[in-house]
Amino acid sequence: MAKITPNEIKILSKYIYDISGIALDQSKTYLFETRFGKLIEAEGLANYSELYSKAKSEPRKTLEKKIIDAITTNETLFFRDTGPFELLRHKILPEVIDAGTAKSSKLLPTAIKIWSSACSTGQELFSIAIIIKELLGDLKKYNIKLLGTDISDAAIAQASYGAYNKFEIERGLARDKLQKYFTLTNGNWKIRDEIRAMVNFKKLNLMLPFGALGKFDIIFCRNVAIYFNLNDRKKLFNKLADSLAPNGFLIIGSTESLTGVCPRFVPKRHLKSIFYQVR
Amino acid sequence: MGSLKILAVDDDPVTRMLIKKKLIKEDYEIEIAENGVKAIELINNTFFDVVLTDLMMPGGVDGIGVLEAVKKKNSQTEVILITGFASVENAIEAMKKGAADYLQKPINFDELFLRLQKIENLIKLAKNAGDLREAMSVTEDNAGHTIQNLELKVGELQNQLYEIEDILLKYDLDPQDRIESALKTIGA
């Protein structure tokens, strides 16, 4: 496998930052080699400089997409970290529904908009959809929009297809939920149509403007900003604050903090979990 | 050298005995069942790492029936099907239903041991990944708890600062009064 030189690390890190906002630790040589070594061989390239030149020169950006797929971390589980989902079920959804029902006329269904902003392969958004289905039952009375976005094409493709192998499915998902909401198809577990139909996925780079998506009642932005530098984190959470509907809720990763990042958000506690609202 | 717990299902007593003998010799823990019905009984009461089953069996429950029962009980159990030459197509269909692999009759035991080794390696890898996730989850829980408490404390202090700022900016009041009332907000 080709060895990466310090200069190549510098060039490649800058390139990855420009296309994804991901700030890589330049001291981690192994990270570049394990993530891109196979790609270099598969593309028939000699070294990392060639990888960079080819990616830059391709008008259709095929290699750029592969680089993003390789560098993004898709560590995700169904109901990863139970806290936020309990929070959603017992506190946030009931509040959003109450407020929405009070606001909407009797003729129109209550609108609820939720965004999983770094949805990876879709587990977070499907977990949210399952909770909504269990909590609300008949969805006809509601106009529910569930959106999942991610920067990785490969992740979005898998999320859209909604199938998971047994290693992806096993942890986090209780057996009764697995049987109820998934079917075994070609050796993989595929989300049932009734849940799949509730959600939409699309590719999105959080570094770019996303105001056009409109306002959301609830935004999940968990464990993605950790890969950004402080300045980009500040910009991101400011944009997220703009994208929240009045009294909307933001949920971030359990080890993330907005202190010194975005003073517009106030942390609030419900039982063991924290959520944020705009001051 | 195996550490897997295996159930072998075959209606032919000679094949059953042969499989049992060979697997015991390789140190695998093995149980046998003479038909699908018996196999399902065993599967429902005990966990097996691998179920090795004949595809065509009389008595109402064939290899596919065993496979379906296994996957319903515990998706962590792997199933290897043993098939006659004529039923390879069926075996491929079975793999779509979640079988890990298939072997053609007569059983080539070297091949079987290779498949079992592969499954054992996969189980170890999955366990490693599981252990890592568990360790990450415990670390994350602990760190999360600390960070969230700090986050709330900072939020509280920030609010106090805003309150103090509001008081201190009330220029129409006497400066001494402003200072005293600001100090009161922090209990001083």
Side-chain angles (χ1 to χ4, degrees):
Chain A
M1 195 191 283
K3 289 263 167 221
I4 191 164
T5 67
N7 194 42
E8 284 174 329
I9 288 187
K10 228 165 142 184
I11 294 169
L12 215 49
S13 319
K14 165 135 194 344
Y15 172 64
I16 289 164
Y17 174 75
D18 288 343
I19 57 174
S20 68
I22 295 170
L24 289 167
D25 181 345
Q26 296 195 17
S27 66
K28 290 183 178 166
T29 308
Y30 73 90
L31 189 74
F32 290 86
E33 290 180 349
T34 49
R35 300 263 174 134
F36 300 122
K38 273 188 291 182
L39 189 56
I40 285 178
E41 282 178 25
E43 295 286 322
L45 303 168
N47 52 44
Y48 293 83
S49 306
E50 284 188 9
L51 179 73
Y52 168 72
S53 311
K54 188 174 177 191
K56 279 287 274 188
S57 64
E58 269 186 355
R60 296 182 64 189
K61 299 191 173 179
T62 323
L63 191 54
E64 180 182 305
K65 285 177 189 165
K66 287 183 186 167
I67 288 174
I68 290 176
D69 292 342
I71 204 66
T72 44
T73 304
N74 288 328
E75 171 60 20
T76 180
L77 298 171
F78 283 96
F79 299 97
R80 172 175 178 180
D81 180 8
T82 49
F85 297 102
E86 292 303 305
L87 183 67
L88 185 70
R89 189 192 297 266
H90 299 295
K91 161 90 182 165
I92 297 181
L93 273 175
E95 272 190 28
V96 167
I97 290 161
D98 277 355
T101 314
K103 221 167 46 188
S104 73
S105 75
K106 285 201 173 106
L107 295 168
L108 287 170
T110 306
I112 306 168
K113 266 182 87 179
I114 304 179
W115 178 22
S116 163
S117 64
C119 69
S120 186
T121 39
Q123 284 91 326
E124 180 176 82
L125 194 60
F126 285 131
S127 302
I128 295 170
I130 288 171
I131 286 178
I132 289 180
K133 177 81 189 143
E134 288 181 347
L135 198 68
L136 305 182
D138 180 16
L139 300 177
K140 286 196 199 88
K141 284 189 278 174
Y142 305 92
N143 175 14
I144 295 168
K145 291 214 160 62
L146 303 181
L147 174 69
T149 61
D150 199 274
I151 193 171
S152 162
D153 282 276
I156 287 296
Q158 188 187 343
S160 295
Y161 189 59
Y164 303 91
N165 68 35
K166 69 192 195 85
F167 300 110
E168 291 166 321
I169 206 99
E170 255 156 26
R171 287 177 58 92
L173 195 66
R175 191 109 193 115
D176 60 324
K177 282 199 170 59
L178 176 67
Q179 301 282 0
K180 199 165 167 192
Y181 299 111
F182 293 83
T183 44
L184 192 58
T185 315
N186 290 345
N188 284 326
W189 293 92
K190 196 164 193 303
I191 193 95
R192 285 187 194 272
D193 290 346
E194 55 164 349
I195 302 294
R196 176 63 189 85
M198 292 170 67
V199 307
N200 269 308
F201 293 102
K202 66 190 260 184
K203 183 184 170 165
L204 178 83
N205 180 351
L206 289 171
M207 289 293 109
L208 302 175
F210 48 69
L213 296 175
K215 304 265 184 190
F216 293 89
D217 300 296
I218 307 163
I219 298 176
F220 280 75
C221 185
R222 298 197 301 153
N223 305 316
V224 62
I226 49 175
Y227 300 105
F228 300 157
N229 66 34
L230 180 60
N231 196 31
D232 288 330
R233 251 183 274 169
K234 285 181 178 173
K235 284 188 206 156
L236 170 64
F237 285 104
N238 244 317
K239 288 192 289 181
L240 289 174
D242 293 336
S243 292
L244 270 183
N247 302 315
F249 295 81
L250 171 74
I251 295 170
I252 64 173
S254 66
T255 57
E256 292 182 273
S257 159
L258 294 188
T259 298
V261 176
C262 188
R264 292 169 69 190
F265 280 111
V266 195
K268 293 178 183 176
R269 184 189 282 282
H270 175 75
L271 301 174
K272 283 167 94 178
S273 297
I274 293 213
F275 59 89
Y276 293 81
Q277 290 189 298
V278 174
R279 202 178 287 279
Chain B
M1 286 286 280
S3 63
L4 300 174
K5 185 165 180 178
I6 300 167
L7 171 66
V9 196
D10 203 301
D11 56 315
D12 172 34
V14 180
T15 311
R16 269 201 316 271
M17 281 307 120
L18 186 64
I19 294 174
K20 188 174 180 180
K21 212 176 103 190
K22 291 271 193 187
L23 290 181
I24 285 176
K25 211 175 149 205
E26 292 292 317
D27 277 346
Y28 288 107
E29 200 183 332
I30 169 108
E31 285 199 41
I32 49 172
E34 70 252 37
N35 58 43
V37 178
K38 287 268 165 63
I40 291 174
E41 253 173 50
L42 283 167
I43 289 159
N44 283 335
N45 292 317
T46 319
F47 173 77
F48 293 98
D49 294 299
V50 179
V51 173
L52 183 65
T53 176
D54 195 4
L55 189 61
M56 308 275 233
M57 284 184 296
V61 180
D62 61 0
I64 301 286
V66 172
L67 168 70
E68 282 169 349
V70 166
K71 290 293 157 188
K72 203 170 166 197
K73 180 79 198 319
N74 194 327
S75 63
Q76 283 179 309
T77 301
E78 298 291 3
V79 177
I80 299 178
L81 291 149
I82 306 164
T83 163
F85 180 70
S87 49
V88 169
E89 294 278 305
N90 295 345
I92 291 168
E93 272 311 301
M95 289 191 66
K96 288 185 183 165
K97 289 188 175 174
D101 225 323
Y102 72 89
L103 287 173
Q104 273 180 258
K105 282 180 183 173
I107 302 173
N108 174 336
F109 280 92
D110 282 341
E111 204 181 336
L112 173 62
F113 296 145
L114 279 176
R115 306 278 159 97
L116 291 175
Q117 191 60 53
K118 214 170 89 185
I119 290 174
E120 213 171 330
N121 288 342
L122 264 181
I123 291 172
K124 272 186 200 150
L125 267 179
K127 186 177 180 304
N128 275 346
D131 288 354
L132 274 176
R133 273 190 179 156
E134 193 55 45
M136 187 181 84
S137 154
V138 170
T139 312
E140 209 173 69
D141 274 1
N142 278 321
H145 192 66
T146 310
I147 290 167
Q148 292 186 345
N149 281 338
L150 282 172
E151 192 84 334
L152 285 172
K153 190 73 203 165
V154 170
E156 222 173 84
L157 291 173
Q158 183 64 57
N159 280 342
Q160 264 178 3
L161 282 176
Y162 283 137
E163 223 176 299
I164 290 171
E165 190 183 26
D166 282 349
I167 295 168
L168 293 178
L169 289 175
K170 285 179 184 160
Y171 293 121
D172 50 324
L173 297 180
D174 174 64
Q176 193 59 34
D177 288 348
R178 276 187 269 154
I179 292 169
E180 270 172 30
S181 125
L183 285 172
K184 262 189 212 159
T185 64
I186 52 167

